[in-house]
Amino acid sequence: MSSFRVLRSMRIYAFVRDRPVPPLNHWTRSSSEKLCRPSMRRWLHGSQIQRHGNVTRPAPGTGIKLHFKDAKGNLFKTIEANEGDDILSLAHEHDIDLEGACEGSVACSTCHVILSPEHYDLLPEPSDDENDMLDMAFGLTDTSRLGCQVQVTRELDGMTATLPSATRNMFVDGKKPTHH
C-alpha cells in the first residue's frame, strides 16, 4: 500500500473518531512504517471559502447606477451597485437574464454585454483569456466585454450594459442556469 493511501486512510479514521491529527515531521517520511504511527500524521491545509457572486444591495440612492438594455436598445432595468461588484453577479442578483454558464471563470462567453463607448474607455484592457472568450461571443462589437470581468467603480456611474440578442451556449436542453 502506498504511503499516500496509508495517510489518507489514517486521516479519515482520525476524522471519524473526532481526534486531532498531529503534524507530520517531513524529515522522517522515508519509511512507510513511520508514516503509520499516529504521531506522524499531518494536518490538511485549508483556505477560506470564496463566495462568488455574493452581492449586497446598497441603500437606495447611495449606489452606483447601472442601466440594462435589451438587444433592441430598450431600457428595461436600472439598478444600483456597490463598488467592486461585477456585472454578472449584479444581473443575477436583480433577476436580469444574463446567463454566465461558467459562473465567472472566463470559460465561456454567455455573460457577453455591450457597454456604452464612453464607459468602455474607462475600463482596463481585457485579459488574453477574456479576449479569447469574446471571440466566440455572438454579436461581438468594439465595446463588448464579459460581464463577469467588469467590476463597477465610481467612474462607471450611469453606465449602460446592452444584452446581445443571443448567446452561444453548450447546453441545449433548455435549462436556465440559476445563481448559487
Side-chain angles (χ1 to χ4, degrees):
M1 181 183 284
S2 74
S3 60
F4 173 74
R5 288 184 183 157
V6 169
L7 282 174
R8 183 171 180 224
S9 63
M10 288 171 55
R11 284 189 195 113
I12 292 169
Y13 179 75
F15 178 74
V16 170
R17 300 238 3 230
D18 208 19
R19 291 185 179 173
V21 180
L24 174 67
N25 182 346
H26 66 279
W27 297 108
T28 60
R29 290 194 300 184
S30 58
S31 78
S32 61
E33 179 183 296
K34 290 180 181 180
L35 290 174
C36 294
R37 286 189 282 161
S39 63
M40 302 308 278
R41 294 182 210 146
R42 82 179 218 217
W43 292 94
L44 293 176
H45 174 70
S47 59
Q48 184 177 6
I49 296 172
Q50 295 278 331
R51 301 206 189 288
H52 298 288
N54 190 16
V55 174
T56 56
R57 294 185 183 198
T62 62
I64 302 165
K65 291 206 183 298
L66 180 61
H67 309 286
F68 284 92
K69 290 185 176 181
D70 63 11
K72 296 177 183 174
N74 300 322
L75 180 69
F76 66 89
K77 195 171 252 191
T78 298
I79 64 169
E80 290 188 27
N82 291 313
E83 194 163 1
D85 291 341
D86 62 270
I87 292 176
L88 177 62
S89 298
L90 290 167
H92 287 176
E93 175 69 21
H94 294 275
D95 296 323
I96 296 169
D97 198 21
L98 185 61
E99 189 171 347
C102 72
E103 298 181 355
S105 63
V106 196
C108 73
S109 62
T110 58
C111 65
H112 166 230
V113 292
I114 301 163
L115 304 176
S116 49
E118 60 273 7
H119 291 104
Y120 179 86
D121 294 333
L122 298 174
L123 294 170
E125 289 292 317
S127 67
D128 290 339
D129 290 337
E130 183 179 357
N131 279 328
D132 290 344
M133 290 299 116
L134 281 170
D135 287 341
M136 297 187 304
F138 183 83
L140 188 66
T141 68
D142 290 339
T143 60
S144 291
R145 291 296 297 263
L146 296 181
C148 64
Q149 297 301 300
V150 178
Q151 291 189 341
V152 178
T153 61
R154 288 279 169 205
E155 297 83 34
L156 300 177
D157 191 30
M159 179 172 66
T160 300
T162 305
L163 304 181
S165 59
T167 62
R168 291 191 175 124
N169 190 351
M170 64 185 138
F171 297 110
V172 293
D173 59 0
K175 180 183 174 201
K176 182 179 176 184
T178 58
H179 182 60
H180 299 265

